[in-house]
Amino acid sequence: MTSSNLYFIVTRTPEYQRNVAGRICYISEAKHQSLTKRSSPTRLPVFYLDSSNLCDHEVEVSTLGELSPDEAELLQALPDDPQRLNWFKEREVLRAARGLTVGSAVTVLQGKEWLRGIVRFIGRTPNAPCSSPPAGRFFGIELQGEDRGKGDTDGICQKTLFPCAKDCGIFAPFSRVRPVVPSSLSPSSPKHSETDEVAPGDRVTYFFEDKCQHGMVLDVKEKDGEPCVRISTDTNDEVDVPLLSVAKGEVTPAPESMDTETTAVEKEDVNLSLSSMVEVSLGKVTSYGIIRWIGTPTGCPETMAGLELDEPNGVTDGIFQGMRLFHCAPKKGLFLKLRSCRPDPRFQSTSADCGEKMLETDTAGQNNTGGDSEQRMPVTVPPVSTEQVSHILIGRMKGIQGHYNSCYMDAALFSSLGGKVQESYCYQIFLDQNHHLVLPTVQQLLEHSFHNAGLKLAEVPPCFILQMPRFGKKFKMFDRIIPSLELDVTNLLSEGPQQCMLCGDLAQAECTECFKDPIFSQTGFKIFCQKCLSQVHGHPQRRSHQPVALDIPKGYLSHSMTHTLIRDKLELFAVLCIETSHYVSFIKHGPNSQDWIFFDSMADRQGEKDGFNIPEVHACPEVGTYLEMSPMDLANQVPRDMKGVAKRLFCDAYMYLYQSPNMCLYR
């Protein structure tokens, strides 16, 4: 483009215009000098490239990014404004493209494959509009070696721009082209200065026989009138390399001890992204890990992946080319080509599609060309609905995979998926030895424990986790416990109005000694209005009782509350069970009585020492059937004859998880 103009790219759309972010514009140098000679204008009158409107446009200076004429030509070759803006931010790629010349060895993206070739043409293609300023700069590339025949042209675009065989040429913008020689090794690179001069003993990176290699400098001399460096290679050979093809230091460090086997990943079959679990072959060993970073570092022609390995078989802690790209433990980080990664076969399931959709927002903007990845923004992911449970959660290799003795954490984490994120209260139930409970409900256990300890709740807990009275592998206070689908905590609150257990009027006193009186039910605290209190304690056996007055709000003392009190109840959403040190969990995922699923993080195992556990989630509607039975019918059930996994819920319960449908809206 003519150098008599100054070029800019609009980095964001001004309030008074529409859809101009990414457009390239220009102003003549003379006009720019006249406007800025005496003051700094807040707006500039610019012309948009490829605009049929011959009038200038007033654009805020703060929204303009400066471009060199070369950069403007390179960006103008891209098909649309959003791409121009995205690639404008990739300054290293632009700089590398500016350094390309006819004869440069490059790789070019064709479809989903990077092909090797030689630049044979740089300039405007004849089919581009003949505008002033001219259109974008394209690269004509002749494919080489095995990639010949994979192109789409023979170098002719209305006229011959470069001669090559049929389908051995490609015309492409800079966004699809990468130099094979790292930019730091390019003769046109401004970084190659006197401060980078090499001396005997220096470790260097050099380009020799189409490969980027490392070695140590033995001597710097002249050969055929050109500066030359004698290098001792890492394979104990000696080579003479032109000085312009040598850079001080290991510019593109690779894990030299890692023999990484490359297995192509077909993107149309598998979509690897951030947080994908993968396997890689390191020599004769297969390692597993998680993708923590994806991008194209400077000098690398292909997309790279940064892995956090399960075992310390790597070479870094997340630093590549002196830049920290992610964090992990030492020796657990490894950088390699993305196509060298294969999906972890231990986690192949139909849930992958769901996971990829959830990660789309998270991965947006994360693929970059080096430097620190932008901080990930929080992503709102809707909970799994009851209708989605069978498709997303149920099946083998679903849920959370167990590792060593992690089943307690696995079951606890999976149980928490059934509730909302909120504050939680945990309480260990203790009972005295003189209780008369045989087949208790969770409601009875909680009330008896609170009664023995003299406890009250200061407020309704948003989430209430109850630990059952069992200790160690062998001791269980009860062979079976009946889950309470609703937990009524109204009478457990220290403040607030309460109903008389007999007539329903406003209660004014509580008798702790009546709590264990066999004439009353084993469920519920014994609270009475003044009239019922006098009648109950008129009996000779209860005259010695000492009732305690309740803390009643003053506003309730002046009127009756018969049958009007709203009771505070919590809903059961998960149960954590243990049998012989192995933990599993039951989750209630919907409103119907049959909406229960069962999770086991170590349901099966493949292999032995080097194998892995297989988690499994399956529906257990039989649980709902038993929960609808009366206590009498449940007492008559023989545990070993119960259907499915119901026995484990009633006999092995360790923790019950409840939530308040009202409080979870505010906490």
Side-chain angles (χ1 to χ4, degrees):
M1 292 186 180
T2 175
S3 59
S4 62
N5 294 325
L6 298 179
Y7 297 92
F8 304 91
I9 184 171
V10 183
T11 58
R12 58 182 174 85
T13 299
E15 296 180 357
Y16 51 86
Q17 295 188 25
R18 290 185 179 181
N19 303 325
V20 298
R23 295 195 70 177
I24 296 177
C25 55
Y26 65 96
I27 183 175
S28 69
E29 286 188 5
K31 188 167 186 177
H32 185 268
Q33 288 178 359
S34 66
L35 291 173
T36 59
K37 188 173 183 180
R38 296 182 179 180
S39 62
S40 299
T42 58
R43 295 186 180 184
L44 287 177
V46 298
F47 294 91
Y48 292 125
L49 293 185
D50 295 340
S51 174
S52 59
N53 190 344
L54 300 179
C55 299
D56 57 21
H57 301 266
E58 295 284 336
V59 179
E60 295 179 9
V61 175
S62 62
T63 67
L64 297 177
E66 294 185 16
L67 295 174
S68 68
D70 287 340
E71 290 175 332
E73 280 193 356
L74 290 169
L75 290 170
Q76 189 62 19
L78 298 177
D80 55 50
D81 294 333
Q83 286 194 51
R84 294 186 183 103
L85 184 57
N86 288 337
W87 284 102
F88 166 70
K89 300 174 183 178
E90 308 294 345
R91 308 302 295 177
E92 287 297 321
V93 179
L94 271 172
R95 185 182 67 80
R98 291 173 59 191
L100 293 176
T101 60
V102 173
S104 295
V106 296
T107 59
V108 57
L109 181 62
Q110 181 76 338
K112 297 184 178 181
E113 185 178 5
W114 286 93
L115 310 177
R116 295 180 70 93
I118 302 293
V119 176
R120 300 301 189 193
F121 167 83
I122 300 177
R124 179 170 61 91
T125 57
N127 57 1
C130 296
S131 58
S132 180
R137 179 187 301 177
F138 287 83
F139 294 87
I141 298 163
E142 181 182 5
L143 300 178
Q144 302 293 309
E146 298 177 353
D147 295 329
R148 293 177 62 83
K150 297 182 180 180
D152 53 17
T153 182
D154 54 1
I156 298 176
C157 186
Q158 295 186 6
K159 65 178 182 179
T160 300
L161 299 181
F162 66 93
C164 70
K166 183 180 179 181
D167 293 335
C168 288
I170 293 175
F171 288 102
F174 81 97
S175 59
R176 292 167 49 197
V177 181
R178 297 290 184 276
V180 173
V181 182
S183 58
S184 57
L185 300 182
S186 172
S188 61
S189 172
K191 293 185 178 181
H192 199 83
S193 63
E194 293 182 359
T195 59
D196 293 327
E197 288 184 358
V198 296
D202 288 342
R203 287 286 295 176
V204 292
T205 301
Y206 63 96
F207 192 76
F208 186 72
E209 294 182 350
D210 293 336
K211 292 184 179 180
C212 190
Q213 305 181 47
H214 304 102
M216 184 180 70
V217 175
L218 298 178
D219 188 20
V220 180
K221 57 184 181 179
E222 283 196 8
K223 185 176 181 180
D224 299 330
E226 296 292 335
C228 179
V229 182
R230 177 164 286 272
I231 298 174
S232 174
T233 70
D234 289 345
T235 56
N236 295 323
D237 295 325
E238 293 184 9
V239 294
D240 291 332
V241 182
L243 178 61
L244 292 178
S245 296
V246 179
K248 192 173 182 177
E250 298 194 4
V251 183
T252 54
E256 300 173 11
S257 61
M258 294 295 176
D259 179 16
T260 305
E261 177 184 324
T262 300
T263 302
V265 174
E266 298 295 336
K267 291 294 186 67
E268 55 269 17
D269 295 331
V270 179
N271 184 19
L272 294 180
S273 59
L274 291 180
S275 300
S276 291
M277 305 188 73
V278 296
E279 69 172 8
V280 292
S281 297
L282 305 178
K284 297 181 179 179
V285 178
T286 298
S287 292
Y288 301 94
I290 300 175
I291 296 179
R292 298 300 188 193
W293 180 88
I294 296 177
T296 308
T298 302
C300 294
E302 295 193 36
T303 302
M304 302 285 288
L307 306 185
E308 180 181 1
L309 300 176
D310 293 348
E311 304 295 337
N313 298 327
V315 294
T316 179
D317 61 353
I319 295 177
F320 184 70
Q321 293 184 347
M323 300 180 186
R324 178 165 294 284
L325 302 181
F326 66 91
H327 293 268
C328 69
K331 297 292 184 180
K332 282 198 171 185
L334 178 65
F335 289 89
L336 71 170
K337 296 175 183 178
L338 180 61
R339 62 188 178 92
S340 297
C341 302
R342 303 181 298 275
D344 191 332
R346 302 174 298 175
F347 296 93
Q348 294 302 296
S349 65
T350 56
S351 64
D353 292 339
C354 175
E356 289 166 7
K357 292 178 182 178
M358 291 181 176
L359 284 169
E360 283 179 358
T361 306
D362 188 38
T363 58
Q366 295 297 318
N367 294 353
N368 48 62
T369 60
D372 293 334
S373 299
E374 297 178 4
Q375 183 176 358
R376 302 185 200 175
M377 299 301 293
V379 179
T380 301
V381 179
V384 177
S385 66
T386 300
E387 293 75 17
Q388 295 174 312
V389 166
S390 60
H391 173 65
I392 296 177
L393 293 181
I394 292 179
R396 285 170 65 85
M397 296 304 294
K398 299 293 184 74
I400 303 172
Q401 184 186 37
H403 185 60
Y404 294 115
N405 295 320
S406 67
C407 59
Y408 173 67
M409 182 179 294
D410 303 332
L413 286 174
F414 193 82
S415 298
S416 66
L417 299 178
K420 298 179 175 63
V421 177
Q422 56 195 299
E423 294 180 3
S424 299
Y425 295 80
C426 187
Y427 178 69
Q428 166 73 64
I429 289 179
F430 292 98
L431 300 178
D432 62 21
Q433 296 180 352
N434 298 321
H435 69 83
H436 300 288
L437 300 174
V438 179
L439 183 59
T441 64
V442 176
Q443 179 81 43
Q444 292 172 340
L445 293 175
L446 179 62
E447 290 174 348
H448 278 70
S449 182
F450 266 47
H451 169 75
N452 294 335
L455 296 176
K456 290 286 186 178
L457 291 171
E459 62 179 2
V460 177
C463 180
F464 206 11
I465 302 174
L466 300 179
Q467 186 172 340
M468 295 297 102
R470 57 178 298 168
F471 309 94
K473 299 180 181 180
K474 299 180 179 179
F475 175 74
K476 289 195 300 184
M477 185 170 285
F478 302 98
D479 292 331
R480 282 180 287 173
I481 297 175
I482 301 176
S484 300
L485 294 177
E486 287 188 327
L487 199 64
D488 192 335
V489 297
T490 309
N491 295 343
L492 303 181
L493 297 172
S494 60
E495 298 179 353
Q498 299 185 37
Q499 287 179 304
C500 173
M501 63 170 295
L502 297 179
C503 68
D505 284 349
L506 181 66
Q508 300 184 32
E510 176 183 357
C511 182
T512 58
E513 293 168 286
C514 286
F515 183 81
K516 295 184 178 180
D517 194 319
I519 198 173
F520 297 112
S521 167
Q522 291 185 331
T523 302
F525 278 56
K526 307 309 179 276
I527 53 178
F528 308 96
C529 63
Q530 195 61 48
K531 179 179 179 180
C532 293
L533 180 70
S534 300
Q535 293 177 347
V536 168
H537 290 84
H539 192 280
Q541 294 182 354
R542 290 184 284 275
R543 289 175 182 172
S544 61
H545 292 185
Q546 297 181 349
V548 178
L550 295 174
D551 186 3
I552 305 172
K554 295 181 180 179
Y556 287 91
L557 294 175
S558 59
H559 62 279
S560 173
M561 287 289 294
T562 305
H563 306 302
T564 60
L565 181 66
I566 298 176
R567 305 196 67 81
D568 293 300
K569 296 182 179 182
L570 309 182
E571 297 176 347
L572 178 67
F573 68 87
V575 182
L576 192 66
C577 302
I578 179 175
E579 181 183 20
T580 61
S581 300
H582 183 60
Y583 292 84
V584 296
S585 58
F586 291 83
I587 312 293
K588 194 173 192 304
H589 62 83
N592 300 321
S593 61
Q594 312 293 316
D595 292 339
W596 285 89
I597 57 177
F598 173 78
F599 167 64
D600 186 349
S601 66
M602 300 180 180
D604 199 355
R605 184 171 179 83
Q606 181 170 321
E608 298 181 358
K609 182 178 180 181
D610 296 328
F612 54 88
N613 294 309
I614 299 176
E616 183 175 6
V617 181
H618 64 79
C620 52
E622 68 275 7
V623 167
T625 302
Y626 288 106
L627 290 175
E628 290 179 327
M629 292 183 177
S630 66
M632 182 67 70
D633 291 335
L634 274 176
N636 293 328
Q637 294 293 320
V638 179
R640 65 173 179 269
D641 295 334
M642 284 184 163
K643 297 180 181 179
V645 292
K647 168 185 174 294
R648 305 187 74 169
L649 177 66
F650 290 94
C651 300
D652 302 327
Y654 176 57
M655 284 186 179
Y656 289 86
L657 283 70
Y658 290 87
Q659 65 181 0
S660 168
N662 297 323
M663 292 298 293
C664 68
L665 298 176
Y666 308 102
R667 300 292 293 276

